[in-house]
């Protein structure tokens, strides 16, 4: 548990994986100067060495935050994922330690959608193979297996933020769009929903995947699904590596059933730029392989830097969990002259009563209070006015059985 409410210069922030300058600027504007930024990810043993002194951690997709890391993160207040996906974080372990995790759910959406549109054209014209040949001194001037995308069918699996953007852009270029989603979604433009994944696979010239990494999407595209795709069709995966069985895809491409693929994400991705990338797709001439750069544009990274840093500031300064992916959502307007207490607890009966008894037992007046719970977790923000012995109060709050974290903000005399 956090031991003390700290002045901002004592809050240690560690940002990994080359988070954009905007994050540093935003944190500095918020008064946080103790920021260390590393260009790379840390592996578990490096994290275990360092995490004990970190209050706020920023990562992207390469850093894996395991239960063991949270166990060792005695001072950790919050985590920011400077990306969309949060599957690299053990979100339940974070909850158990009272640590809200934030992400940037929209800031790189357009970048991924644009890459996919570019790849559809590259695949349907066989550009990657032809370009490699020309680089090697060859000349393959041929229309064989090259098609316009106009009038062709694009199948989108996962019709969320990215899927719908791809849908709009693809239609604007004359494609017919079909989509499959487990949730009923409003079809944009002339796009039409498919009743099943099998239906989508059987009608599409290009299939593009935009689902999150969940137990249901693991190995969603394997031998059977690839066989269900049209002969000579193409597959794009810029979602998560575990969604496609790579060996099965390599076999389907080597047999000529799947003509081309553009794969940006892999079941195992190198931890650093120096590590060698291994995959059964290496060497397949019609496979465009990219190093998980769907969201890596200057615009996206700048937007993400600002967005996630603002969420971290909101939580650190005010206790707001709005936008957290693993926490009850609480935002209480700041009241002048109050001390704010934050209490994260297991959702047991009578918790709020016990929290309030700490204040009433000290004759403290609660000026405002906001509690949100989910089946496992409760998060309450309490504003108290008057002269408050913050440390004593916070120690009483921590003594309540089932407390996961307690701290205070805006101390009246520190
Ligand atoms: N390659 C890259 O650099 C990037 C990859 N991503 C990945 O793209 C994924 C999608 O991003 P968004 O569109 O923003 O997410 P989103 O949450 O807006 O959309 C995902 C959609 O997939 C649907 N879905 C979930 N399970 C499904 C299933 N089993 N079958 C069919 N549909 C299912 C959901 O209902 C939702 O509509 C992210 O989760 C992330 O993993 C995101 C950004 C960059
Ligand atoms: O840019 C990154 O580090 C990860 C991008 C991504 O996959 C995401 O935003 O989910």
């Amino acid at each position: 548990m956090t031991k003390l409410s700290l002045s901002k210069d004592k809050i240690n922030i560690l940002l990994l994986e080359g988070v954009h300058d905007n994050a540093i600027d935003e944190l500095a504007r918020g008064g946080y100067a103790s920021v260390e930024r590393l260009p790379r990810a840390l592996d578990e043993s490096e994290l275990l060495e360092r995490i004990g002194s970190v209050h706020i951690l920023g990562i992207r997709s390469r850093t894996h935050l395991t239960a063991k890391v949270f166990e060792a993160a005695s001072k950790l207040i919050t985590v920011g994922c400077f990306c969309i996906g949060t599957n690299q974080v053990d979100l339940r372990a974070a909850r158990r330690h009272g640590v809200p995790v934030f992400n940037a759910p929209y800031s790189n959406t357009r970048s991924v959608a644009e890459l996919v549109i570019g790849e559809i054209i590259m695949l349907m014209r066989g550009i990657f193979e032809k370009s490699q040949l020309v680089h090697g001194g060859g000349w393959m001037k041929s229309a064989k297996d090259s098609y316009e995308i106009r009038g062709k069918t694009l199948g989108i699996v996962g019709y969320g933020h990215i899927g719908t953007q791809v849908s709009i852009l693809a239609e604007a270029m004359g494609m017919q769009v079909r989509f499959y989603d487990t949730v009923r979604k409003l079809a944009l433009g002339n796009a039409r929903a498919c009743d099943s994944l099998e239906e989508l696979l059987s009608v599409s010239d290009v299939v593009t995947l935009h689902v999150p990494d969940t137990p249901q999407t693991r190995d969603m595209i394997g031998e059977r699904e690839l066989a269900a795709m049209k002969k000579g069709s193409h597959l794009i995966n810029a979602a998560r590596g575990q969604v496609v069985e790579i060996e099965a895809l390599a076999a389907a491409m080597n047999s000529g059933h799947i003509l081309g693929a553009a794969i940006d994400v892999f079941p195992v991705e190198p931890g650093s730029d120096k590590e060698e990338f291994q995959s059964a797709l290496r060497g397949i001439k019609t496979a465009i392989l990219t190093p998980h750069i769907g969201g890596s544009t200057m615009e996206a990274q700048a937007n993400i830097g600002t967005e996630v840093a603002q969420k971290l500031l909101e939580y650190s300064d005010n206790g707001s969990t709005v936008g957290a992916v693993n926490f009850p959502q609480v935002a209480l307007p700041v009241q002048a002259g109050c001390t704010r207490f934050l209490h994260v607890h297991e959702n047991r009966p009578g918790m709020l009563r016990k929290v309030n008894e700490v204040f009433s037992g000290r004759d403290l007046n609660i000026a405002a209070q906001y509690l949100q719970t989910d089946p496992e977790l409760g998060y309450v923000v309490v504003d108290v006015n008057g002269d408050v012995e913050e440390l004593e109060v916070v120690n009483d709050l921590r003594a309540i059985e089932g407390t996961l974290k307690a701290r205070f903000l805006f101390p009246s005399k520190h």
Side-chain angles (χ1 to χ4, degrees):
M1 282 197 298
T2 312
K3 292 286 180 285
L4 291 171
S5 181
L6 293 168
S7 58
K8 289 184 181 181
D9 59 325
K10 299 226 169 56
I11 294 196
N12 297 326
I13 303 178
L14 177 62
L15 302 179
L16 303 177
E17 304 187 58
V19 164
H20 195 271
D21 286 349
N22 279 11
I24 310 276
D25 296 346
E26 202 62 32
L27 292 166
R29 259 196 294 280
Y32 293 80
S34 176
V35 183
E36 184 183 1
R37 181 168 48 162
L38 299 180
R40 63 181 185 92
L42 295 183
D43 63 24
E44 192 179 62
S45 62
E46 292 172 309
L47 279 167
L48 290 174
E49 250 171 51
R50 303 208 44 171
I51 200 72
S53 61
V54 173
H55 298 96
I56 298 179
L57 177 66
I59 62 166
R60 288 174 61 186
S61 58
R62 273 181 182 177
T63 305
H64 293 270
L65 300 183
T66 58
K68 209 165 156 191
V69 171
F70 283 107
E71 205 60 54
S74 53
K75 297 197 168 125
L76 193 63
I77 299 170
T78 179
V79 170
C81 296
F82 287 76
C83 54
I84 292 181
T86 52
N87 56 297
Q88 69 282 34
V89 180
D90 186 335
L91 294 174
R92 293 203 64 181
R95 280 162 62 82
R96 278 200 304 276
H97 289 87
V99 176
V101 176
F102 297 91
N103 71 341
Y106 320 107
S107 290
N108 63 17
T109 305
R110 172 74 187 200
S111 301
V112 180
E114 285 190 13
L115 178 68
V116 168
I117 293 297
E119 287 175 339
I120 295 170
I121 299 173
M122 295 298 128
L123 288 171
M124 293 207 59
R125 297 289 290 272
I127 297 297
F128 188 60
E129 184 179 10
K130 292 186 179 90
S131 173
Q132 286 177 92
L133 267 162
V134 175
H135 273 287
W139 198 254
M140 182 187 171
K141 185 171 165 60
S142 162
K144 186 174 176 291
D145 289 334
S146 288
Y147 299 94
E148 293 182 349
I149 67 168
R150 177 172 53 162
K152 304 301 179 302
T153 300
L154 175 66
I156 301 174
V157 184
Y159 205 59
H161 294 117
I162 298 174
T164 48
Q165 284 265 330
V166 171
S167 175
I168 292 166
L169 296 172
E171 276 207 336
M173 300 182 78
M175 297 191 84
Q176 314 280 329
V177 174
R178 305 295 304 273
F179 65 89
Y180 170 70
D181 201 295
T182 41
V183 173
R184 204 178 158 84
K185 293 285 172 109
L186 173 72
L188 301 182
N190 295 316
R192 282 188 297 136
C194 289
D195 291 331
S196 66
L197 178 62
E198 288 67 32
E199 182 192 346
L200 178 134
L201 297 174
S202 69
V203 298
S204 303
D205 298 298
V206 182
V207 172
T208 184
L209 307 173
H210 300 292
V211 290
D213 179 23
T214 66
Q216 292 73 36
T217 62
R218 291 264 162 124
D219 298 333
M220 185 184 207
I221 304 293
E223 190 181 344
R224 198 170 61 90
E225 291 74 22
L226 291 162
M229 286 174 66
K230 280 164 86 168
K231 182 164 169 51
S233 59
H234 304 270
L235 179 72
I236 299 176
N237 184 15
R240 278 295 177 266
Q242 287 80 0
V243 177
V244 175
E245 281 184 45
I246 293 292
E247 304 287 336
L249 175 60
M253 294 185 77
N254 286 326
S255 77
H257 182 69
I258 299 296
L259 196 55
I263 307 295
D264 186 47
V265 287
F266 301 87
V268 180
E269 296 177 2
S272 79
D273 291 353
K274 294 197 179 92
E275 206 178 298
E276 186 174 346
F277 167 68
Q278 308 282 358
S279 173
L281 295 173
R282 272 178 57 179
I284 298 181
K285 291 193 174 64
T286 56
I288 301 174
L289 307 182
T290 48
H292 199 149
I293 40 79
S296 295
T297 62
M298 298 308 283
E299 292 91 341
Q301 294 309 311
N303 291 337
I304 290 172
T306 305
E307 182 183 343
V308 178
Q310 281 171 351
K311 288 177 178 172
L312 295 174
L313 287 177
E314 275 294 305
Y315 181 66
S316 182
D317 288 350
N318 302 326
S320 168
T321 49
V322 172
V325 296
N326 65 337
F327 238 67
Q329 312 274 303
V330 173
L332 189 65
V334 173
Q335 323 246 353
C338 285
T339 302
R340 174 163 288 190
F341 291 89
L342 313 176
H343 189 258
V344 186
H345 50 261
E346 291 167 8
N347 188 3
R348 303 178 180 186
M351 267 300 195
L352 187 59
R353 179 177 49 79
K354 287 181 190 159
V355 167
N356 285 340
E357 277 169 5
V358 168
F359 298 105
S360 59
R362 293 174 171 272
D363 275 339
L364 291 170
N365 181 46
I366 293 179
Q369 183 173 53
Y370 190 173
L371 166 75
Q372 276 287 337
T373 60
D374 62 28
E376 291 173 340
L377 204 74
Y379 176 42
V380 60
V381 178
V382 186
D383 280 352
V384 175
N385 49 26
D387 206 10
V388 187
E389 293 298 334
E390 294 94 356
L391 278 178
E392 290 177 18
V393 172
V394 110
N395 282 336
D396 286 355
L397 289 172
R398 285 176 185 151
I400 299 172
E401 213 182 316
T403 297
L404 299 173
K405 193 152 253 172
R407 64 189 182 108
F408 63 88
L409 305 170
F410 329 135
S412 57
K413 20 178 213 324
H414 292 268

Coordinates of all heavy atoms in Angstrom, one line a residue, residues 214-249:
T214 N -8.9 -11.9 -26.5 CA -9.7 -12.4 -25.4 C -9.6 -14.0 -25.5 O -9.2 -14.5 -26.6 CB -11.2 -12.0 -25.5 OG1 -11.7 -12.6 -26.7 CG2 -11.3 -10.5 -25.6
P215 N -10.1 -14.7 -24.5 CA -10.1 -16.2 -24.7 C -10.9 -16.6 -25.9 O -10.6 -17.6 -26.6 CB -10.8 -16.6 -23.4 CG -10.5 -15.5 -22.4 CD -10.5 -14.3 -23.2
Q216 N -11.9 -15.8 -26.3 CA -12.8 -16.2 -27.4 C -12.1 -15.9 -28.8 O -12.4 -16.5 -29.8 CB -14.1 -15.4 -27.4 CG -15.1 -15.8 -26.3 CD -14.6 -15.2 -25.0 OE1 -14.0 -14.2 -24.9 NE2 -14.8 -16.0 -23.9
T217 N -11.1 -15.0 -28.8 CA -10.5 -14.6 -30.1 C -9.2 -15.4 -30.3 O -8.5 -15.3 -31.3 CB -10.3 -13.1 -30.2 OG1 -9.4 -12.7 -29.2 CG2 -11.6 -12.3 -30.2
R218 N -8.7 -16.1 -29.2 CA -7.4 -16.8 -29.4 C -7.6 -17.9 -30.5 O -8.6 -18.6 -30.4 CB -7.1 -17.5 -28.0 CG -6.7 -16.6 -27.0 CD -5.2 -16.5 -26.9 NE -4.9 -15.3 -26.2 CZ -4.1 -15.2 -25.1 NH1 -3.6 -16.3 -24.6 NH2 -3.8 -14.1 -24.5
D219 N -6.7 -17.9 -31.4 CA -6.7 -18.9 -32.5 C -8.0 -18.9 -33.2 O -8.5 -19.9 -33.7 CB -6.4 -20.3 -32.0 CG -5.0 -20.4 -31.3 OD1 -4.1 -19.6 -31.7 OD2 -4.9 -21.3 -30.5
M220 N -8.6 -17.7 -33.3 CA -9.9 -17.6 -34.0 C -9.8 -17.9 -35.5 O -10.7 -18.5 -36.1 CB -10.3 -16.1 -33.9 CG -11.6 -15.7 -34.4 SD -11.7 -13.9 -34.2 CE -13.5 -13.8 -34.1
I221 N -8.6 -17.7 -36.1 CA -8.3 -18.0 -37.5 C -7.3 -19.1 -37.5 O -6.1 -18.9 -37.3 CB -7.9 -16.8 -38.3 CG1 -8.9 -15.6 -38.2 CG2 -7.6 -17.2 -39.8 CD1 -10.3 -15.9 -38.8
G222 N -7.7 -20.4 -37.7 CA -6.8 -21.5 -37.8 C -7.1 -22.2 -39.1 O -7.6 -21.7 -40.1
E223 N -6.6 -23.5 -39.1 CA -6.7 -24.3 -40.4 C -8.1 -24.3 -41.0 O -8.3 -24.1 -42.2 CB -6.2 -25.7 -40.1 CG -6.0 -26.5 -41.3 CD -5.6 -28.0 -40.9 OE1 -5.2 -28.2 -39.8 OE2 -5.7 -28.8 -41.8
R224 N -9.1 -24.5 -40.1 CA -10.5 -24.7 -40.6 C -11.0 -23.3 -41.2 O -11.6 -23.3 -42.3 CB -11.4 -25.1 -39.4 CG -12.7 -25.6 -39.8 CD -13.4 -26.2 -38.5 NE -13.6 -25.2 -37.5 CZ -14.7 -24.5 -37.4 NH1 -15.7 -24.6 -38.3 NH2 -14.9 -23.6 -36.5
E225 N -10.7 -22.3 -40.5 CA -11.2 -21.0 -41.0 C -10.5 -20.5 -42.2 O -11.1 -19.9 -43.2 CB -11.0 -19.9 -39.9 CG -11.9 -20.1 -38.6 CD -11.5 -21.2 -37.8 OE1 -10.3 -21.6 -37.8 OE2 -12.3 -21.7 -37.0
L226 N -9.2 -20.8 -42.3 CA -8.4 -20.5 -43.5 C -9.0 -21.3 -44.7 O -9.1 -20.7 -45.8 CB -6.9 -20.7 -43.3 CG -6.3 -19.8 -42.3 CD1 -4.9 -20.3 -41.8 CD2 -6.1 -18.4 -42.9
A227 N -9.3 -22.5 -44.5 CA -9.9 -23.3 -45.6 C -11.2 -22.8 -46.0 O -11.6 -22.9 -47.2 CB -10.0 -24.8 -45.1
A228 N -12.0 -22.2 -45.0 CA -13.3 -21.6 -45.4 C -13.2 -20.3 -46.2 O -14.2 -19.8 -46.8 CB -14.1 -21.3 -44.1
M229 N -12.0 -19.7 -46.2 CA -11.8 -18.5 -47.0 C -11.7 -18.8 -48.5 O -11.4 -20.0 -48.9 CB -10.5 -17.8 -46.6 CG -10.6 -17.1 -45.3 SD -9.1 -16.4 -44.7 CE -8.8 -15.1 -45.9
K230 N -12.1 -17.9 -49.4 CA -12.1 -18.1 -50.8 C -10.7 -18.4 -51.3 O -9.7 -17.8 -50.8 CB -12.5 -16.8 -51.5 CG -14.0 -16.6 -51.6 CD -14.4 -15.2 -51.9 CE -14.5 -14.9 -53.3 NZ -15.2 -13.6 -53.6
K231 N -10.5 -19.3 -52.3 CA -9.2 -19.5 -52.8 C -8.7 -18.2 -53.5 O -9.4 -17.5 -54.1 CB -9.3 -20.7 -53.8 CG -7.9 -21.0 -54.4 CD -7.9 -22.3 -55.1 CE -6.6 -22.5 -55.9 NZ -5.4 -22.3 -55.2
G232 N -7.4 -17.9 -53.2 CA -6.9 -16.7 -53.8 C -7.2 -15.4 -53.0 O -6.9 -14.3 -53.4
S233 N -7.8 -15.6 -51.8 CA -8.1 -14.4 -51.0 C -6.9 -14.0 -50.1 O -5.9 -14.7 -50.1 CB -9.4 -14.6 -50.2 OG -9.2 -15.7 -49.3
H234 N -7.1 -12.9 -49.4 CA -6.0 -12.3 -48.6 C -6.5 -12.2 -47.1 O -7.6 -11.9 -46.9 CB -5.6 -11.0 -49.1 CG -5.2 -11.0 -50.6 ND1 -3.9 -11.2 -51.0 CD2 -6.0 -10.9 -51.7 CE1 -3.9 -11.2 -52.3 NE2 -5.1 -11.0 -52.8
L235 N -5.5 -12.2 -46.2 CA -5.8 -12.0 -44.8 C -4.9 -10.9 -44.2 O -3.7 -10.8 -44.5 CB -5.5 -13.3 -44.0 CG -5.7 -13.2 -42.5 CD1 -7.2 -13.2 -42.2 CD2 -5.1 -14.4 -41.7
I236 N -5.6 -10.0 -43.4 CA -4.8 -8.9 -42.7 C -5.0 -9.1 -41.2 O -6.2 -9.2 -40.8 CB -5.3 -7.5 -43.2 CG1 -5.0 -7.4 -44.7 CG2 -4.6 -6.4 -42.4 CD1 -5.5 -6.1 -45.3
N237 N -4.0 -9.1 -40.5 CA -4.1 -9.1 -39.0 C -3.3 -8.0 -38.4 O -2.0 -8.0 -38.3 CB -3.7 -10.4 -38.4 CG -3.9 -10.4 -36.9 OD1 -4.7 -9.6 -36.4 ND2 -3.4 -11.4 -36.2
A238 N -4.0 -6.9 -38.0 CA -3.3 -5.8 -37.2 C -4.0 -5.7 -35.9 O -4.1 -4.6 -35.3 CB -3.4 -4.5 -38.0
A239 N -4.5 -6.9 -35.4 CA -5.2 -6.9 -34.1 C -4.3 -7.4 -33.0 O -3.6 -6.6 -32.4 CB -6.5 -7.7 -34.2
R240 N -4.3 -8.6 -32.8 CA -3.4 -9.2 -31.8 C -2.9 -10.6 -32.4 O -3.6 -11.3 -33.0 CB -4.0 -9.5 -30.5 CG -4.1 -8.2 -29.6 CD -2.7 -7.7 -29.2 NE -2.7 -6.5 -28.4 CZ -2.5 -5.3 -28.9 NH1 -2.3 -5.1 -30.2 NH2 -2.5 -4.2 -28.1
G241 N -1.6 -10.9 -32.0 CA -0.9 -12.0 -32.6 C -1.6 -13.4 -32.3 O -1.6 -14.3 -33.2
Q242 N -2.2 -13.5 -31.2 CA -2.8 -14.8 -30.8 C -4.1 -15.1 -31.6 O -4.6 -16.2 -31.4 CB -3.1 -14.8 -29.3 CG -1.9 -14.9 -28.4 CD -1.2 -13.6 -28.2 OE1 -1.6 -12.5 -28.8 NE2 -0.1 -13.6 -27.5
V243 N -4.6 -14.1 -32.4 CA -5.8 -14.4 -33.0 C -5.7 -15.3 -34.2 O -6.6 -16.0 -34.6 CB -6.4 -13.0 -33.5 CG1 -7.7 -13.2 -34.3 CG2 -6.7 -12.1 -32.3
V244 N -4.5 -15.4 -34.8 CA -4.2 -16.2 -36.0 C -3.2 -17.3 -35.7 O -2.2 -17.0 -35.0 CB -3.7 -15.3 -37.2 CG1 -3.3 -16.2 -38.4 CG2 -4.7 -14.3 -37.6
E245 N -3.5 -18.5 -36.1 CA -2.5 -19.6 -35.9 C -1.5 -19.5 -37.1 O -1.8 -19.7 -38.2 CB -3.2 -20.9 -36.0 CG -3.9 -21.3 -34.7 CD -4.5 -22.7 -34.8 OE1 -3.8 -23.6 -35.3 OE2 -5.6 -22.9 -34.4
I246 N -0.3 -19.0 -36.7 CA 0.7 -18.6 -37.8 C 1.1 -19.8 -38.6 O 1.2 -19.7 -39.8 CB 1.9 -18.0 -37.1 CG1 1.5 -16.6 -36.5 CG2 3.1 -17.8 -38.1 CD1 1.1 -15.5 -37.5
E247 N 1.3 -21.0 -38.0 CA 1.7 -22.2 -38.7 C 0.6 -22.5 -39.8 O 0.9 -22.9 -40.9 CB 1.9 -23.4 -37.8 CG 2.9 -23.2 -36.7 CD 4.3 -23.1 -37.1 OE1 4.6 -23.7 -38.2 OE2 5.1 -22.5 -36.4
A248 N -0.6 -22.5 -39.4 CA -1.7 -22.8 -40.3 C -1.8 -21.8 -41.4 O -2.0 -22.2 -42.6 CB -3.1 -22.8 -39.5
L249 N -1.5 -20.5 -41.1 CA -1.5 -19.5 -42.2 C -0.4 -19.8 -43.2 O -0.5 -19.7 -44.4 CB -1.4 -18.1 -41.6 CG -1.3 -16.9 -42.6 CD1 -2.5 -16.9 -43.5 CD2 -1.1 -15.6 -41.9

